[in-house]
Amino acid sequence: MNHTAPYPIGTSGTPWGAAEKAQWLASQVRRRSYADEVVAAVDGLRSTFDVVEYGTVEYGDERFALLAIRSRDWNDALPVALVTGGVHGYETSGVHGALQFVREHAADFAGRVNLLVAPCVSPWAYERIHRWNANAIDPNRSFRDDSPAQESAALMKLVAPVRDRVLVHIDLHETTDTDESEFRPALAARDGKPFEPDGIPDGFYLVDDSENPQPEFQKAVIDAVSKVTHIAPADAQGRIIGSPVVAPGVIEYSLRKLGLCAGITDARYKTTTEVYPDSPRATPEQCNTAQATAVCAALEYALAHP
């Protein structure tokens, strides 16, 4: 899907100022409930897990409690596994796949690893089904000191006490048709840059850390997920979303330099999952299961190769 018409906010070639950001914000509509769909699901886990309110996100008169799920049998002698979802609030299976993992599989890892799961890092964006926060900032380019994004700063503060003990971090994402039809054009308009159309890969893929690649770890996740949903092929140039494919279904980014969530720890094993929910070959249930399966496979591999 290509977006060819000019983006309706701003002037081509000129970065947005306060007026354009206000116009963009006014166009955002609440389309689902974080309280009903996420907080209620987390509350349902309180009988078997500790739930931590690690901060709040506030925009105008809206306030969202940021919640993390933590192993009740936390043992400082064990490594830590960090699972994050909903850094981009519109990427639904990242949120619900993380919750599905906790409900259905977390007990399998009791006594083997400490689990810390933040299922919905960006609740305002979850409700608007958007990539950015209310300030037109992408949280997943904002994981750095003095972060401009409340969501990113709060998660980094949560993770800081265990950052050096994280063995594996799985950050759950989606690539959607709206990346090409809305979010990339909006980004180009916001930054006053030309929009360059690209394709959307049909299938699941992973993003490894180019500064510390772990190809066997990524392969283990791809192999497990391939039993649930299809893996994205490379395009005619041997790329996925503009990056060279280094192994079936795997590309690499410099996670920390780009300010990405998956780069917030020194974990040996890191990956960003990318589910394609708009595929006619995948149901929402498959997308959630793919995310949960990816987490399980990542944990099993990391624990077997500490």
Side-chain angles (χ1 to χ4, degrees):
M1 181 185 300
N2 288 336
H3 182 100
T4 56
Y7 196 75
I9 296 173
T11 302
S12 179
T14 303
W16 287 0
E20 289 81 11
K21 290 179 181 178
Q23 182 184 354
W24 171 84
L25 179 59
S27 70
Q28 302 308 309
V29 177
R30 184 175 182 268
R31 298 166 63 185
R32 57 187 176 183
S33 171
Y34 172 69
D36 293 345
E37 299 178 16
V38 181
V39 175
V42 173
D43 285 344
L45 298 166
R46 288 180 183 271
S47 63
T48 48
F49 297 91
D50 291 338
V51 175
V52 180
E53 183 174 332
Y54 66 91
T56 60
V57 170
E58 297 186 16
Y59 294 111
D61 60 357
E62 292 187 272
R63 179 185 182 278
F64 302 91
L66 297 170
L67 302 177
I69 302 157
R70 193 173 183 268
S71 297
R72 179 152 294 167
D73 58 347
W74 192 278
N75 180 347
D76 286 336
L78 296 176
V80 176
L82 176 63
V83 181
T84 47
V87 173
H88 290 142
Y90 74 106
E91 295 172 2
T92 305
S93 73
V95 176
H96 294 287
L99 292 168
Q100 180 172 323
F101 162 74
V102 176
R103 285 194 307 271
E104 298 181 4
H105 305 289
D108 298 338
F109 297 94
R112 302 169 63 195
V113 67
N114 298 311
L115 293 175
L116 183 61
V117 181
C120 190
V121 174
S122 296
W124 182 92
Y126 178 86
E127 293 201 332
R128 274 73 183 180
I129 313 184
H130 210 283
R131 185 180 182 89
W132 295 342
N133 67 17
N135 295 324
I137 292 171
D138 185 342
N140 206 35
R141 297 298 184 273
S142 304
F143 287 93
R144 50 175 53 94
D145 292 341
D146 300 318
S147 175
Q150 300 177 48
E151 300 85 353
S152 307
L155 184 67
M156 288 189 291
K157 185 177 179 180
L158 170 71
V159 173
V162 298
R163 175 177 170 174
D164 295 338
R165 294 169 46 212
V166 175
L167 173 65
V168 55
H169 179 187
I170 312 99
D171 189 31
L172 307 179
H173 284 256
E174 294 181 345
T175 300
T176 73
D177 287 345
T178 53
D179 287 4
E180 188 73 0
S181 64
E182 168 62 25
F183 300 126
R184 292 175 188 164
L187 175 64
R190 186 197 69 182
D191 295 346
K193 297 179 179 179
F195 170 57
E196 299 178 0
D198 198 356
I200 298 295
D202 183 353
F204 180 94
Y205 64 99
L206 297 174
V207 182
D208 197 0
D209 185 3
S210 62
E211 306 302 317
N212 179 34
Q214 296 289 340
E216 292 303 316
F217 167 69
Q218 307 296 333
K219 181 179 184 299
V221 178
I222 288 288
D223 287 349
V225 174
S226 69
K227 299 173 184 177
V228 176
T229 191
H230 57 291
I231 306 303
D235 64 17
Q237 288 73 46
R239 297 172 179 266
I240 290 177
I241 60 168
S243 294
V245 172
V246 298
V250 182
I251 61 174
E252 295 178 351
Y253 282 175
S254 181
L255 302 179
R256 188 162 294 171
K257 288 181 181 178
L258 290 172
L260 302 182
C261 182
I264 64 174
T265 76
D266 294 321
R268 177 179 301 176
Y269 301 110
K270 309 170 187 175
T271 197
T272 300
T273 67
E274 294 286 353
V275 166
Y276 179 47
D278 297 313
S279 174
R281 300 166 60 190
T283 65
E285 292 76 20
Q286 277 179 294
C287 292
N288 294 344
T289 298
Q291 301 281 27
T293 299
V295 176
C296 291
L299 294 184
E300 291 291 3
Y301 185 93
L303 290 170
H305 302 84

